[in-house]
């Protein structure tokens, strides 16, 4: 009888060699072209939980879109920059500060869109009112309606919006729709929504689809987070709101009584062409269909207002983090006051340094966040920054539960503001495709002040004394979540 024995020593040696190879390879591969904090977070994950860490890195370790998609974005930027170079985008307001002109140049170089004058923008802070305002604009459509939203659901709250689309399509208006694949799949009313789009004759496509069997794949947690509507190149809407009920129709939200609070801007004027250019770019990226043969990319319509506006697209299709550079530039330019509204505030080192430095320069800084969180990891990661912010002098307002303050805005001093889809977190800076609108004009900032005052009246201030009473378990949980937020 033959007895086969295995020397356990060889197994130990084999495991040791594999572990060593993984660690050495990780040190070489992970930090390349990655921020130090993100690299360190990935290395910690791989070193302490090797199997899970390596699997996650292979799955979501690449923060960029596929090369083919990035090349498309580069061609789009060149085309937009060249096409718009000699066009008239209205009369700009006089006496722009030097830093504003410099920031506009930065945005132009990174995102290609020009600064446009003679615009009007109306803020709509009521959730249902904004849905109905968009429906009203669609009912006036004569040529086309372009719809692009992170989440799009045909439910009771959005029925008027969808009926307006159906009426427009019924009278021959071209309706084009883009919605994020991963954010919508498996959600309530997903199949119903697609059937309704099909029934009305809308042309629709999924954004960033994760469909490997169809040859469509990229990192699955990359998102097209933009929210925009364009009607005839004449009127546009953009902001933080999705096309869905304020509960998102999710049982967990309904059970907790959660409702989302958002802010949309209705825009008229030359800048509408830039919003439409973002849609046409995304349509081309998803479909390879060039719509500029039928639609003038910059069919500039004069506006009824006097606002200077610039659209800044951002996301993993761009070489740089356009929105992060924009926000940081504004924070350093502020002279008197900064007010930030962000539901998910997880800054990187540059953003945190800009905000704390502003306080040290004597700038009054306020941050609006939600008292309650809908995403546990992000909620706890955000909390991990509160002590540093409070000690620096930031006044933190917590919008009272059960509401989720979902607005994304930034105002500095009395003349400049941003509204859009971008949070001030590392996901929005590096992984999400976003749209932001830079606005110069005291009349717009006054509208923002009314909204901010309303938010303040519905919030409570978080003090350093209160925060120092947090139990140890909360601090540990917050700091662990902060580490995971850097995994990009």
């Amino acid at each position: 009888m033959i007895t086969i024995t295995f020397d356990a020593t060889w197994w130990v040696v084999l495991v040791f060699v594999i572990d060593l190879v993984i660690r050495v390879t990780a040190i070489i591969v992970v930090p390349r072209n990655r921020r130090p904090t993100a690299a360190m977070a990935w290395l910690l994950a791989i070193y302490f939980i090797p199997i899970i860490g390596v699997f996650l890195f292979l799955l979501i370790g690449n923060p960029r879109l596929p090369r083919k998609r990035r090349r498309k974005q580069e061609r789009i930027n060149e085309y937009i920059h060249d096409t718009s170079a000699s066009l008239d985008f209205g009369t700009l307001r006089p006496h722009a500060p030097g830093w504003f002109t410099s920031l506009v140049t930065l945005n132009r170089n990174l995102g290609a869109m020009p600064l446009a004058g003679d615009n009007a923008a109306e803020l709509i802070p009521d959730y249902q009112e904004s849905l109905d305002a968009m429906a009203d604009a669609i009912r006036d459509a004569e040529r086309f309606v372009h719809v692009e939203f992170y989440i799009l659901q045909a439910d009771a709250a959005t029925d008027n919006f969808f009926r307006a689309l159906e009426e427009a399509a019924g009278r021959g208006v071209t309706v084009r729709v883009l919605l994020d694949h991963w954010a919508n799949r498996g959600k309530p009313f997903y199949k119903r929504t697609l059937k309704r789009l099909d029934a009305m004759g809308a042309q629709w496509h999924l954004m960033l689809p994760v469909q490997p069997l169809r040859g469509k794949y990229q990192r699955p947690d990359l998102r097209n987070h933009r929210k925009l509507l364009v009607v005839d190149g004449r009127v546009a809407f953009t902001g933080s709101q999705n096309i869905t009920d304020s509960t998102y129709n999710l049982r967990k939200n309904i059970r907790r009584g959660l409702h989302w609070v958002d802010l949309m801007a209705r825009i008229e004027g030359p800048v509408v062409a830039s919003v439409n250019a973002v849609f046409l770019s995304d349509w081309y990226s998803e479909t390879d269909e060039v719509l500029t043969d039928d639609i003038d990319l910059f069919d500039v319509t004069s506006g009824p207002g006097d606002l200077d506006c610039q659209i800044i697209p951002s996301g993993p299709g761009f070489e740089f983090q356009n929105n992060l550079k924009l926000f940081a530039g504004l924070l350093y330019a502020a002279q008197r006051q900064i007010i930030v509204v962000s539901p998910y505030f997880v800054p990187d080192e540059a953003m945190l340094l800009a905000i704390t430095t502003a306080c040290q320069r004597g700038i009054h800084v306020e941050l609006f966040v939600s008292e309650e969180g809908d995403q546990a990891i992000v909620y706890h990661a955000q909390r991990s920054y509160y002590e540093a912010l409070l000690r620096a002098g930031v006044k933190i307002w917590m919008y009272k539960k059960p509401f989720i303050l979902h607005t994304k805005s930034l105002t500095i001093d009395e003349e400049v503001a941003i509204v859009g889809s971008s949070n001030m977190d590392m996901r929005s800076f590096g992984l999400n495709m976003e749209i932001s609108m830079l606005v110069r004009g005291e009349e717009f900032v006054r509208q923002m002040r009314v909204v901010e005052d309303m938010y303040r009246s519905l919030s409570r201030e978080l003090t350093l004394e209160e925060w120092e009473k947090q139990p140890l378990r909360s601090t540990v949980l917050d700091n662990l979540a902060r580490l995971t937020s850097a995994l990009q």
Side-chain angles (χ1 to χ4, degrees):
M1 185 175 182
I2 300 175
T3 302
I4 300 176
T5 59
F6 295 93
D7 189 345
T9 304
W10 288 106
W11 286 106
V12 172
V13 171
L14 180 62
V15 170
F16 174 78
V17 170
I18 293 175
D19 182 70
L20 182 63
V21 168
I22 289 174
R23 291 171 186 266
V24 172
T25 303
I27 291 175
I28 296 171
V29 173
V30 171
R32 186 177 182 183
N33 297 323
R34 199 181 300 270
R35 290 200 307 269
T37 50
M40 185 59 69
W42 275 116
L43 289 174
L44 286 173
I46 292 170
Y47 272 44
F48 283 97
I49 45 174
I51 296 176
I52 297 176
V54 170
F55 173 76
L56 287 176
F57 184 78
L58 293 175
L59 182 66
I60 62 172
N62 182 7
R64 307 295 297 276
L65 285 169
R67 182 173 298 177
K68 180 181 178 182
R69 180 81 178 236
R70 298 200 306 271
R71 295 292 179 267
K72 281 185 178 181
Q73 187 66 61
E74 291 171 3
R75 291 196 297 271
I76 290 166
N77 283 359
E78 291 175 3
Y79 180 78
I80 290 173
H81 199 284
D82 294 344
T83 303
S84 61
S86 59
L87 297 180
D88 180 10
F89 286 91
T91 303
L92 299 179
R93 300 169 72 99
H95 312 304
W99 63 261
F100 182 81
T101 303
S102 177
L103 197 61
V104 166
T105 301
L106 170 71
N107 297 333
R108 176 76 155 152
N109 290 336
L110 298 182
M113 301 297 178
L115 179 68
D118 300 334
N119 300 286
E122 174 192 358
L123 292 175
I124 309 175
D126 182 83
Y127 199 98
Q128 188 62 48
E129 184 182 336
S130 70
L131 291 172
D132 293 338
M134 286 186 277
D136 290 342
I138 293 169
R139 287 192 169 94
D140 291 333
E142 298 176 354
R143 295 185 294 143
F144 64 82
V145 176
H146 290 162
V147 179
E148 179 175 343
F149 283 86
Y150 178 59
I151 294 176
L152 185 77
Q153 294 185 346
D155 56 34
T158 65
D159 183 65
N160 185 33
F161 181 93
F162 276 86
R163 281 191 286 109
L165 289 178
E166 290 162 345
E167 292 166 14
R171 61 178 182 269
V173 174
T174 301
V175 176
R176 298 184 179 93
V177 178
L178 292 171
L179 64 156
D180 188 84
H181 177 219
W182 202 260
N184 287 278
R185 65 185 295 275
K187 292 289 197 310
F189 310 120
Y190 175 53
K191 292 183 178 179
R192 177 199 295 185
T193 301
L194 299 186
K195 287 180 179 178
R196 192 162 180 179
L197 292 173
D198 282 332
M200 74 174 70
Q203 303 173 36
W204 63 269
H205 291 276
L206 299 172
M207 297 185 290
L208 299 179
V210 182
Q211 299 169 321
L213 297 180
R214 300 182 184 180
K216 298 177 180 179
Y217 184 81
Q218 61 276 317
R219 175 173 169 168
D221 65 336
L222 298 182
R223 302 282 188 272
N224 193 320
H225 195 242
R226 294 169 181 155
K227 292 101 175 168
L228 63 92
L229 168 71
V230 181
V231 178
D232 291 344
R234 176 181 49 82
V235 178
F237 291 78
T238 193
S240 66
Q241 187 172 337
N242 290 294
I243 304 298
T244 182
D245 183 82
S246 63
T247 65
Y248 282 51
N249 299 300
L250 296 176
R251 291 181 181 178
K252 62 179 182 179
N253 294 342
I254 296 171
R255 184 172 61 251
R256 296 168 63 190
L258 299 183
H259 289 272
W260 267 241
V261 176
D262 278 289
L263 182 66
M264 293 294 282
R266 183 186 188 277
I267 314 158
E268 293 181 86
V271 77
V272 172
S274 294
V275 180
N276 200 38
V278 173
F279 177 90
L280 297 177
S281 301
D282 287 343
W283 187 271
Y284 168 67
S285 295
E286 298 296 353
T287 68
D288 289 321
E289 183 181 1
V290 180
L291 296 178
T292 52
D293 294 340
D294 302 316
I295 301 173
D296 187 347
L297 182 63
F298 285 108
D299 181 12
V300 179
T301 302
S302 61
D306 189 35
L307 300 176
D308 291 353
C309 301
Q310 186 179 31
I311 296 297
I312 301 93
S314 58
F318 292 87
E319 183 178 358
F320 303 103
Q321 297 177 332
N322 302 354
N323 49 354
L324 172 59
K325 290 176 180 290
L326 167 64
F327 295 150
L330 284 171
L331 293 175
Y332 281 114
Q335 296 299 307
R336 289 172 293 280
Q337 180 174 246
I338 297 169
I339 298 182
V340 178
V341 183
S342 181
Y344 312 115
F345 184 82
V346 186
D348 70 347
E349 298 94 328
M351 185 62 58
L352 186 62
L353 181 63
I355 288 180
T356 54
T357 300
C359 290
Q360 292 160 355
R361 289 192 291 121
I363 309 299
H364 176 79
V365 182
E366 297 184 37
L367 170 66
F368 286 83
V369 294
S370 295
E371 185 177 43
E372 185 150 3
D374 65 301
Q375 299 181 28
I377 294 179
V378 179
Y379 172 70
H380 284 285
Q382 174 174 285
R383 285 164 50 91
S384 72
Y385 292 92
Y386 288 171
E387 182 174 351
L389 293 170
L390 289 168
R391 290 191 181 282
V394 177
K395 187 182 289 286
I396 299 178
W397 296 97
M398 306 184 74
Y399 200 93
K400 293 181 181 178
K401 55 186 178 183
F403 296 96
I404 302 295
L405 182 57
H406 194 241
T407 295
K408 301 97 164 47
S409 66
L410 168 65
T411 57
I412 69 164
D413 302 336
E414 293 81 33
E415 193 180 15
V416 177
I418 295 175
V419 293
S421 67
S422 181
N423 300 303
M424 281 198 174
D425 70 346
M426 286 182 268
R427 164 164 288 281
S428 282
F429 297 149
L431 304 180
N432 288 348
M433 298 174 71
E434 307 282 7
I435 180 170
S436 303
M437 183 172 71
L438 174 67
V439 183
R440 177 175 175 241
E442 297 91 341
E443 55 269 45
F444 185 79
V445 174
R446 283 196 293 269
Q447 287 188 65
M448 287 297 310
R449 293 286 179 258
V450 172
V451 174
E452 292 162 355
D453 288 343
M454 179 181 67
Y455 291 165
R456 196 176 290 105
S457 69
L458 297 170
S459 304
R460 68 176 185 85
E461 184 180 355
L462 176 67
T463 64
L464 181 59
E465 291 73 21
E466 176 188 348
W467 185 250
E468 288 177 334
K469 297 177 183 178
Q470 292 294 313
L472 178 61
R473 64 178 182 276
S474 294
T475 302
V476 172
L477 188 59
D478 295 343
N479 290 333
L480 287 174
R482 180 171 180 168
L483 285 176
T484 65
S485 69
L487 292 177
Q488 295 185 37

